[in-house]
mmCIF file of all heavy atoms in Angstrom:
data_model
loop_
_atom_site.group_PDB
_atom_site.id
_atom_site.type_symbol
_atom_site.label_atom_id
_atom_site.label_comp_id
_atom_site.label_asym_id
_atom_site.label_seq_id
_atom_site.Cartn_x
_atom_site.Cartn_y
_atom_site.Cartn_z
ATOM 1 N N PHE B 675 -7.297 19.160 7.048
ATOM 2 C CA PHE B 675 -7.200 18.015 7.972
ATOM 3 C C PHE B 675 -8.586 17.678 8.473
ATOM 4 O O PHE B 675 -9.319 18.547 8.946
ATOM 5 C CB PHE B 675 -6.268 18.330 9.150
ATOM 6 C CG PHE B 675 -6.158 17.156 10.084
ATOM 7 C CD1 PHE B 675 -5.501 16.007 9.669
ATOM 8 C CD2 PHE B 675 -6.760 17.167 11.334
ATOM 9 C CE1 PHE B 675 -5.428 14.889 10.495
ATOM 10 C CE2 PHE B 675 -6.682 16.059 12.170
ATOM 11 C CZ PHE B 675 -6.015 14.927 11.747
ATOM 12 N N ASP B 676 -8.957 16.410 8.318
ATOM 13 C CA ASP B 676 -10.283 15.966 8.726
ATOM 14 C C ASP B 676 -10.164 15.201 10.044
ATOM 15 O O ASP B 676 -9.566 14.121 10.103
ATOM 16 C CB ASP B 676 -10.855 15.063 7.627
ATOM 17 C CG ASP B 676 -12.255 14.558 7.959
ATOM 18 O OD1 ASP B 676 -12.636 14.590 9.144
ATOM 19 O OD2 ASP B 676 -12.954 14.134 7.035
ATOM 20 N N LYS B 677 -10.732 15.779 11.125
ATOM 21 C CA LYS B 677 -10.556 15.180 12.452
ATOM 22 C C LYS B 677 -11.363 13.909 12.634
ATOM 23 O O LYS B 677 -11.115 13.129 13.556
ATOM 24 C CB LYS B 677 -10.948 16.198 13.544
ATOM 25 C CG LYS B 677 -9.917 17.298 13.696
ATOM 26 C CD LYS B 677 -10.143 18.082 14.965
ATOM 27 C CE LYS B 677 -9.656 17.333 16.199
ATOM 28 N NZ LYS B 677 -9.306 18.223 17.315
ATOM 29 N N ILE B 678 -12.361 13.706 11.794
ATOM 30 C CA ILE B 678 -13.123 12.457 11.899
ATOM 31 C C ILE B 678 -12.312 11.295 11.312
ATOM 32 O O ILE B 678 -12.109 10.278 11.943
ATOM 33 C CB ILE B 678 -14.484 12.563 11.159
ATOM 34 C CG1 ILE B 678 -15.386 13.637 11.761
ATOM 35 C CG2 ILE B 678 -15.175 11.200 11.137
ATOM 36 C CD1 ILE B 678 -16.276 13.193 12.904
ATOM 37 N N SER B 679 -11.817 11.511 10.106
ATOM 38 C CA SER B 679 -11.124 10.409 9.424
ATOM 39 C C SER B 679 -9.627 10.410 9.671
ATOM 40 O O SER B 679 -8.952 9.404 9.434
ATOM 41 C CB SER B 679 -11.385 10.501 7.925
ATOM 42 O OG SER B 679 -10.888 11.739 7.422
ATOM 43 N N GLY B 680 -9.073 11.523 10.140
ATOM 44 C CA GLY B 680 -7.628 11.616 10.329
ATOM 45 C C GLY B 680 -6.861 11.801 9.025
ATOM 46 O O GLY B 680 -5.685 11.472 8.953
ATOM 47 N N ILE B 681 -7.522 12.312 8.010
ATOM 48 C CA ILE B 681 -6.864 12.465 6.711
ATOM 49 C C ILE B 681 -6.299 13.869 6.536
ATOM 50 O O ILE B 681 -7.002 14.870 6.645
ATOM 51 C CB ILE B 681 -7.830 12.112 5.568
ATOM 52 C CG1 ILE B 681 -8.163 10.615 5.627
ATOM 53 C CG2 ILE B 681 -7.198 12.458 4.210
ATOM 54 C CD1 ILE B 681 -9.318 10.204 4.766
ATOM 55 N N LEU B 682 -4.995 13.895 6.304
ATOM 56 C CA LEU B 682 -4.268 15.155 6.134
ATOM 57 C C LEU B 682 -3.929 15.343 4.658
ATOM 58 O O LEU B 682 -3.450 14.424 4.007
ATOM 59 C CB LEU B 682 -2.966 15.074 6.954
ATOM 60 C CG LEU B 682 -1.956 16.204 6.769
ATOM 61 C CD1 LEU B 682 -2.391 17.459 7.510
ATOM 62 C CD2 LEU B 682 -0.577 15.769 7.253
ATOM 63 N N VAL B 683 -4.204 16.544 4.151
ATOM 64 C CA VAL B 683 -3.776 16.880 2.790
ATOM 65 C C VAL B 683 -2.850 18.068 2.878
ATOM 66 O O VAL B 683 -3.175 19.076 3.525
ATOM 67 C CB VAL B 683 -4.987 17.223 1.895
ATOM 68 C CG1 VAL B 683 -4.531 17.525 0.465
ATOM 69 C CG2 VAL B 683 -6.009 16.090 1.882
ATOM 70 N N CYS B 684 -1.661 17.954 2.281
ATOM 71 C CA CYS B 684 -0.700 19.037 2.401
ATOM 72 C C CYS B 684 0.185 19.107 1.169
ATOM 73 O O CYS B 684 0.200 18.196 0.345
ATOM 74 C CB CYS B 684 0.167 18.870 3.654
ATOM 75 S SG CYS B 684 1.228 17.431 3.589
ATOM 76 N N GLU B 685 0.924 20.188 1.065
ATOM 77 C CA GLU B 685 1.860 20.333 -0.045
ATOM 78 C C GLU B 685 3.127 19.519 0.217
ATOM 79 O O GLU B 685 3.471 19.222 1.355
ATOM 80 C CB GLU B 685 2.178 21.807 -0.259
ATOM 81 C CG GLU B 685 0.983 22.598 -0.814
ATOM 82 C CD GLU B 685 1.314 24.054 -1.114
ATOM 83 O OE1 GLU B 685 2.067 24.668 -0.331
ATOM 84 O OE2 GLU B 685 0.815 24.563 -2.132
ATOM 85 N N ALA B 686 3.814 19.227 -0.859
ATOM 86 C CA ALA B 686 4.952 18.298 -0.786
ATOM 87 C C ALA B 686 6.135 18.847 -0.006
ATOM 88 O O ALA B 686 6.943 18.083 0.527
ATOM 89 C CB ALA B 686 5.393 17.913 -2.189
ATOM 90 N N GLY B 687 6.235 20.180 0.082
ATOM 91 C CA GLY B 687 7.391 20.752 0.759
ATOM 92 C C GLY B 687 7.262 20.854 2.265
ATOM 93 O O GLY B 687 8.178 21.332 2.931
ATOM 94 N N CYS B 688 6.144 20.397 2.823
ATOM 95 C CA CYS B 688 5.990 20.450 4.283
ATOM 96 C C CYS B 688 7.088 19.630 4.960
ATOM 97 O O CYS B 688 7.322 18.476 4.595
ATOM 98 C CB CYS B 688 4.635 19.892 4.695
ATOM 99 S SG CYS B 688 3.234 20.947 4.286
ATOM 100 N N ILE B 689 7.722 20.237 5.946
ATOM 101 C CA ILE B 689 8.746 19.544 6.733
ATOM 102 C C ILE B 689 8.041 18.485 7.602
ATOM 103 O O ILE B 689 7.021 18.771 8.229
ATOM 104 C CB ILE B 689 9.475 20.546 7.650
ATOM 105 C CG1 ILE B 689 10.113 21.673 6.837
ATOM 106 C CG2 ILE B 689 10.509 19.834 8.521
ATOM 107 C CD1 ILE B 689 11.362 21.328 6.095
ATOM 108 N N LEU B 690 8.601 17.286 7.633
ATOM 109 C CA LEU B 690 7.964 16.199 8.377
ATOM 110 C C LEU B 690 7.697 16.592 9.836
ATOM 111 O O LEU B 690 6.613 16.332 10.375
ATOM 112 C CB LEU B 690 8.830 14.932 8.303
ATOM 113 C CG LEU B 690 8.303 13.701 9.023
ATOM 114 C CD1 LEU B 690 6.907 13.309 8.514
ATOM 115 C CD2 LEU B 690 9.254 12.530 8.856
ATOM 116 N N GLU B 691 8.664 17.230 10.464
ATOM 117 C CA GLU B 691 8.500 17.589 11.878
ATOM 118 C C GLU B 691 7.355 18.597 12.079
ATOM 119 O O GLU B 691 6.626 18.531 13.074
ATOM 120 C CB GLU B 691 9.795 18.185 12.428
ATOM 121 C CG GLU B 691 9.816 18.268 13.944
ATOM 122 C CD GLU B 691 11.232 18.451 14.479
ATOM 123 O OE1 GLU B 691 11.937 19.346 13.957
ATOM 124 O OE2 GLU B 691 11.625 17.702 15.378
ATOM 125 N N ASP B 692 7.184 19.498 11.120
ATOM 126 C CA ASP B 692 6.072 20.449 11.204
ATOM 127 C C ASP B 692 4.739 19.720 11.149
ATOM 128 O O ASP B 692 3.784 20.060 11.867
ATOM 129 C CB ASP B 692 6.130 21.477 10.064
ATOM 130 C CG ASP B 692 7.354 22.388 10.186
ATOM 131 O OD1 ASP B 692 7.954 22.414 11.290
ATOM 132 O OD2 ASP B 692 7.715 23.042 9.198
ATOM 133 N N LEU B 693 4.671 18.714 10.300
ATOM 134 C CA LEU B 693 3.428 17.943 10.190
ATOM 135 C C LEU B 693 3.182 17.155 11.480
ATOM 136 O O LEU B 693 2.061 17.046 11.957
ATOM 137 C CB LEU B 693 3.493 16.993 8.995
ATOM 138 C CG LEU B 693 3.561 17.662 7.609
ATOM 139 C CD1 LEU B 693 3.684 16.613 6.518
ATOM 140 C CD2 LEU B 693 2.325 18.540 7.382
ATOM 141 N N ILE B 694 4.264 16.609 12.044
ATOM 142 C CA ILE B 694 4.142 15.859 13.300
ATOM 143 C C ILE B 694 3.587 16.775 14.393
ATOM 144 O O ILE B 694 2.667 16.395 15.114
ATOM 145 C CB ILE B 694 5.507 15.232 13.701
ATOM 146 C CG1 ILE B 694 5.882 14.122 12.712
ATOM 147 C CG2 ILE B 694 5.480 14.716 15.135
ATOM 148 C CD1 ILE B 694 7.290 13.565 12.872
ATOM 149 N N SER B 695 4.130 17.994 14.492
ATOM 150 C CA SER B 695 3.634 18.952 15.502
ATOM 151 C C SER B 695 2.190 19.335 15.234
ATOM 152 O O SER B 695 1.366 19.391 16.158
ATOM 153 C CB SER B 695 4.468 20.235 15.482
ATOM 154 O OG SER B 695 5.811 19.950 15.619
ATOM 155 N N PHE B 696 1.898 19.637 13.973
ATOM 156 C CA PHE B 696 0.533 20.010 13.610
ATOM 157 C C PHE B 696 -0.454 18.934 14.049
ATOM 158 O O PHE B 696 -1.479 19.205 14.695
ATOM 159 C CB PHE B 696 0.453 20.233 12.088
ATOM 160 C CG PHE B 696 -0.939 20.436 11.574
ATOM 161 C CD1 PHE B 696 -1.536 21.680 11.606
ATOM 162 C CD2 PHE B 696 -1.674 19.357 11.073
ATOM 163 C CE1 PHE B 696 -2.825 21.870 11.137
ATOM 164 C CE2 PHE B 696 -2.966 19.535 10.607
ATOM 165 C CZ PHE B 696 -3.549 20.785 10.649
ATOM 166 N N LEU B 697 -0.123 17.686 13.730
ATOM 167 C CA LEU B 697 -1.019 16.573 14.063
ATOM 168 C C LEU B 697 -1.106 16.342 15.559
ATOM 169 O O LEU B 697 -2.158 16.013 16.107
ATOM 170 C CB LEU B 697 -0.561 15.296 13.359
ATOM 171 C CG LEU B 697 -0.778 15.283 11.856
ATOM 172 C CD1 LEU B 697 -0.069 14.095 11.214
ATOM 173 C CD2 LEU B 697 -2.268 15.234 11.523
ATOM 174 N N ASP B 698 0.027 16.530 16.239
ATOM 175 C CA ASP B 698 0.058 16.354 17.684
ATOM 176 C C ASP B 698 -0.973 17.279 18.350
ATOM 177 O O ASP B 698 -1.704 16.868 19.249
ATOM 178 C CB ASP B 698 1.473 16.661 18.188
ATOM 179 C CG ASP B 698 1.639 16.234 19.645
ATOM 180 O OD1 ASP B 698 1.490 15.026 19.908
ATOM 181 O OD2 ASP B 698 1.856 17.103 20.504
ATOM 182 N N ASN B 699 -1.042 18.498 17.873
ATOM 183 C CA ASN B 699 -2.032 19.443 18.399
ATOM 184 C C ASN B 699 -3.467 18.997 18.133
ATOM 185 O O ASN B 699 -4.385 19.370 18.854
ATOM 186 C CB ASN B 699 -1.832 20.833 17.760
ATOM 187 C CG ASN B 699 -0.582 21.492 18.276
ATOM 188 O OD1 ASN B 699 -0.150 21.214 19.392
ATOM 189 N ND2 ASN B 699 0.016 22.341 17.468
ATOM 190 N N GLN B 700 -3.642 18.195 17.087
ATOM 191 C CA GLN B 700 -4.987 17.720 16.744
ATOM 192 C C GLN B 700 -5.287 16.366 17.403
ATOM 193 O O GLN B 700 -6.371 15.822 17.233
ATOM 194 C CB GLN B 700 -5.097 17.537 15.224
ATOM 195 C CG GLN B 700 -4.674 18.751 14.408
ATOM 196 C CD GLN B 700 -5.763 19.802 14.320
ATOM 197 O OE1 GLN B 700 -6.940 19.491 14.471
ATOM 198 N NE2 GLN B 700 -5.361 21.035 14.123
ATOM 199 N N GLY B 701 -4.271 15.814 18.093
ATOM 200 C CA GLY B 701 -4.467 14.510 18.716
ATOM 201 C C GLY B 701 -4.220 13.333 17.783
ATOM 202 O O GLY B 701 -4.753 12.251 17.971
ATOM 203 N N PHE B 702 -3.396 13.561 16.761
ATOM 204 C CA PHE B 702 -3.083 12.496 15.797
ATOM 205 C C PHE B 702 -1.577 12.357 15.653
ATOM 206 O O PHE B 702 -0.820 13.184 16.145
ATOM 207 C CB PHE B 702 -3.733 12.802 14.447
ATOM 208 C CG PHE B 702 -5.233 12.623 14.450
ATOM 209 C CD1 PHE B 702 -6.063 13.595 14.985
ATOM 210 C CD2 PHE B 702 -5.808 11.479 13.929
ATOM 211 C CE1 PHE B 702 -7.437 13.435 15.021
ATOM 212 C CE2 PHE B 702 -7.189 11.302 13.944
ATOM 213 C CZ PHE B 702 -8.000 12.277 14.483
ATOM 214 N N VAL B 703 -1.134 11.303 14.989
ATOM 215 C CA VAL B 703 0.296 11.130 14.727
ATOM 216 C C VAL B 703 0.542 10.856 13.247
ATOM 217 O O VAL B 703 -0.314 10.283 12.566
ATOM 218 C CB VAL B 703 0.933 9.965 15.535
ATOM 219 C CG1 VAL B 703 0.987 10.282 17.002
ATOM 220 C CG2 VAL B 703 0.211 8.653 15.285
ATOM 221 N N MET B 704 1.721 11.252 12.768
ATOM 222 C CA MET B 704 2.121 10.865 11.418
ATOM 223 C C MET B 704 2.453 9.373 11.446
ATOM 224 O O MET B 704 3.081 8.899 12.383
ATOM 225 C CB MET B 704 3.372 11.640 10.979
ATOM 226 C CG MET B 704 3.122 12.998 10.418
ATOM 227 S SD MET B 704 2.065 13.010 8.930
ATOM 228 C CE MET B 704 3.288 12.763 7.647
ATOM 229 N N PRO B 705 2.073 8.642 10.394
ATOM 230 C CA PRO B 705 2.418 7.211 10.385
ATOM 231 C C PRO B 705 3.882 6.955 10.038
ATOM 232 O O PRO B 705 4.269 5.805 9.920
ATOM 233 C CB PRO B 705 1.481 6.637 9.320
ATOM 234 C CG PRO B 705 1.155 7.776 8.421
ATOM 235 C CD PRO B 705 1.211 9.022 9.273
ATOM 236 N N LEU B 706 4.656 7.999 9.865
ATOM 237 C CA LEU B 706 6.093 7.780 9.695
ATOM 238 C C LEU B 706 6.884 8.800 10.491
ATOM 239 O O LEU B 706 6.410 9.886 10.792
ATOM 240 C CB LEU B 706 6.521 7.807 8.228
ATOM 241 C CG LEU B 706 6.735 9.149 7.521
ATOM 242 C CD1 LEU B 706 7.544 8.931 6.255
ATOM 243 C CD2 LEU B 706 5.415 9.788 7.177
ATOM 244 N N ASP B 707 8.091 8.414 10.860
ATOM 245 C CA ASP B 707 8.966 9.247 11.654
ATOM 246 C C ASP B 707 10.402 8.863 11.282
ATOM 247 O O ASP B 707 10.709 7.695 11.099
ATOM 248 C CB ASP B 707 8.735 8.980 13.153
ATOM 249 C CG ASP B 707 9.353 10.072 14.024
ATOM 250 O OD1 ASP B 707 10.000 10.973 13.478
ATOM 251 O OD2 ASP B 707 9.193 9.993 15.262
ATOM 252 N N LEU B 708 11.225 9.852 11.102
ATOM 253 C CA LEU B 708 12.591 9.612 10.677
ATOM 254 C C LEU B 708 13.542 10.442 11.501
ATOM 255 O O LEU B 708 13.153 11.494 12.012
ATOM 256 C CB LEU B 708 12.797 10.047 9.222
ATOM 257 C CG LEU B 708 11.904 9.510 8.129
ATOM 258 C CD1 LEU B 708 12.217 10.228 6.840
ATOM 259 C CD2 LEU B 708 12.116 8.020 7.984
ATOM 260 N N GLY B 709 14.794 10.037 11.565
ATOM 261 C CA GLY B 709 15.814 10.847 12.215
ATOM 262 C C GLY B 709 15.914 12.228 11.587
ATOM 263 O O GLY B 709 16.182 13.211 12.246
ATOM 264 N N ALA B 710 15.658 12.290 10.279
ATOM 265 C CA ALA B 710 15.833 13.544 9.544
ATOM 266 C C ALA B 710 14.602 14.438 9.573
ATOM 267 O O ALA B 710 14.508 15.387 8.814
ATOM 268 C CB ALA B 710 16.182 13.235 8.095
ATOM 269 N N LYS B 711 13.661 14.138 10.491
ATOM 270 C CA LYS B 711 12.369 14.838 10.423
ATOM 271 C C LYS B 711 12.459 16.362 10.449
ATOM 272 O O LYS B 711 11.596 17.036 9.930
ATOM 273 C CB LYS B 711 11.442 14.343 11.525
ATOM 274 C CG LYS B 711 11.934 14.594 12.931
ATOM 275 C CD LYS B 711 11.015 13.909 13.934
ATOM 276 C CE LYS B 711 11.707 13.769 15.278
ATOM 277 N NZ LYS B 711 11.017 12.808 16.137
ATOM 278 N N GLY B 712 13.510 16.869 11.067
ATOM 279 C CA GLY B 712 13.662 18.327 11.162
ATOM 280 C C GLY B 712 13.906 18.994 9.815
ATOM 281 O O GLY B 712 13.688 20.194 9.673
ATOM 282 N N SER B 713 14.381 18.258 8.841
ATOM 283 C CA SER B 713 14.668 18.860 7.528
ATOM 284 C C SER B 713 13.921 18.186 6.372
ATOM 285 O O SER B 713 13.635 18.836 5.382
ATOM 286 C CB SER B 713 16.165 18.754 7.210
ATOM 287 O OG SER B 713 16.967 18.855 8.344
ATOM 288 N N CYS B 714 13.661 16.899 6.485
ATOM 289 C CA CYS B 714 13.112 16.220 5.309
ATOM 290 C C CYS B 714 11.665 16.629 5.054
ATOM 291 O O CYS B 714 10.961 17.062 5.951
ATOM 292 C CB CYS B 714 13.230 14.700 5.454
ATOM 293 S SG CYS B 714 12.185 13.975 6.704
#
Side-chain angles (χ1 to χ4, degrees):
Chain B
F675 180 69
D676 181 341
K677 288 193 77 155
I678 297 272
S679 61
I681 293 167
L682 172 76
V683 182
C684 66
E685 290 184 321
C688 288
I689 302 284
L690 181 57
E691 194 163 49
D692 294 344
L693 295 177
I694 292 172
S695 306
F696 172 84
L697 289 170
D698 191 61
N699 289 333
Q700 308 279 336
F702 288 78
V703 291
M704 276 300 273
L706 80 163
D707 195 357
L708 305 173
K711 62 187 162 196
S713 327
C714 69

